Amino acid sequence: EVQLVESGGGLVQPGGSLRLSCAASGFTFSSYSMNWVRQAPGKGLEWVSYISSSSSTIYYADSVKGRFTISRDNAKNSLYLQMNSLRDEDTAVYYCARDMCGSYCNAFDIWGQGTMVTVSS
Amino acid sequence: QSALTQPASVSGSPGQSITISCTGTSSDVGSYNLVSWYQQHPGKAPKLMIYEVSKRPSGVSNRFSGSKSGNTASLTISGLQAEDEADYYCCSYAGSSTLVVFGGGTKLTVL
């Protein structure tokens, strides 16, 4: 079964750090670009970051640039999001999502179940 | 980069057709045929319904169709069914500086 499973969410104080993980299974992880997308409580979807299959190309939303770092380990079939200097407005469910095309076509066909990140003192 | 503009809500009766619009700019929707649509039921992860403006992934009902004219993309659902009640989000490629922008979402109510 093709599957993505996120982990690592939790409660963190403003200014703190958290590292999210996304474990992939059922497909050749190293052949696909990946994304992180978040959704604040009761709000819409917000794209966070993109990483190409080989990690050669990385993009970030302006709202997280300089604070978040996306990475992947193709040998471990895993995607990561290192989140530093967290703010209240980073509170959200964080989803990892696969782009269905080998490179990029803005089509996120596989999503994880999400992991909740709460930034609060 | 501003979010794409969608109506907050739309509604329709079973069997009817509805269309959800998604208005962007010449920097995103208007410049690229990389518009996708997602369905999200409460408490669930989004599901890809349409990609590259009008293509349907395998397994998605042909009641769902997509189109684009200028800076506005549209999702049409024909033969509305109760299970179509959900939130719908459009998404567009926005160039190498921003990459991806989502719409604010539209809540579809099946009356």
Side-chain angles (χ1 to χ4, degrees), chain B residues 6 8 10 16 33 35 39 41 50-51 55 64 66 68 70 72-73 76 79 85-86 93 95 100 110:
Chain B
Q6 299 180 233
V10 298
Q16 288 186 331
N33 290 324
V35 176
Q39 176 192 67
H41 288 107
I50 295 288
Y51 68 102
K55 296 179 180 178
F64 291 82
K68 190 186 86 166
T72 299
T76 297
E85 186 164 291
Y93 176 68
V100 180
V110 180

Side-chain angles (χ1 to χ4, degrees), chain A residues 12-48:
Chain A
V12 61
Q13 292 187 336
S17 298
L18 213 53
R19 188 195 196 206
L20 305 184
S21 298
C22 170
S25 60
F27 66 97
T28 305
F29 180 70
S30 60
S31 296
Y32 292 88
S33 58
M34 298 294 296
N35 296 264
W36 287 99
V37 177
R38 69 184 180 183
Q39 186 170 34
K43 302 297 184 181
L45 300 173
E46 180 188 13
W47 171 78
V48 173

Side-chain angles (χ1 to χ4, degrees), chain A residues 55-103:
Chain A
S55 303
S56 60
T57 303
I58 286 173
Y59 293 99
Y60 298 99
D62 287 344
S63 57
V64 306
K65 202 172 293 182
R67 301 186 299 121
F68 290 12
T69 302
I70 190 172
S71 63
R72 65 190 295 163
D73 185 336
N74 287 340
K76 294 183 177 180
N77 293 331
S78 293
L79 174 73
Y80 306 101
L81 186 68
Q82 176 66 44
M83 305 186 295
N84 299 330
S85 303
L86 283 162
R87 306 168 179 167
D88 290 352
E89 56 263 35
D90 296 319
T91 294
V93 173
Y94 285 73
Y95 296 99
C96 58
R98 183 184 84 167
D99 192 291
M100 68 181 293
C101 303
S103 55

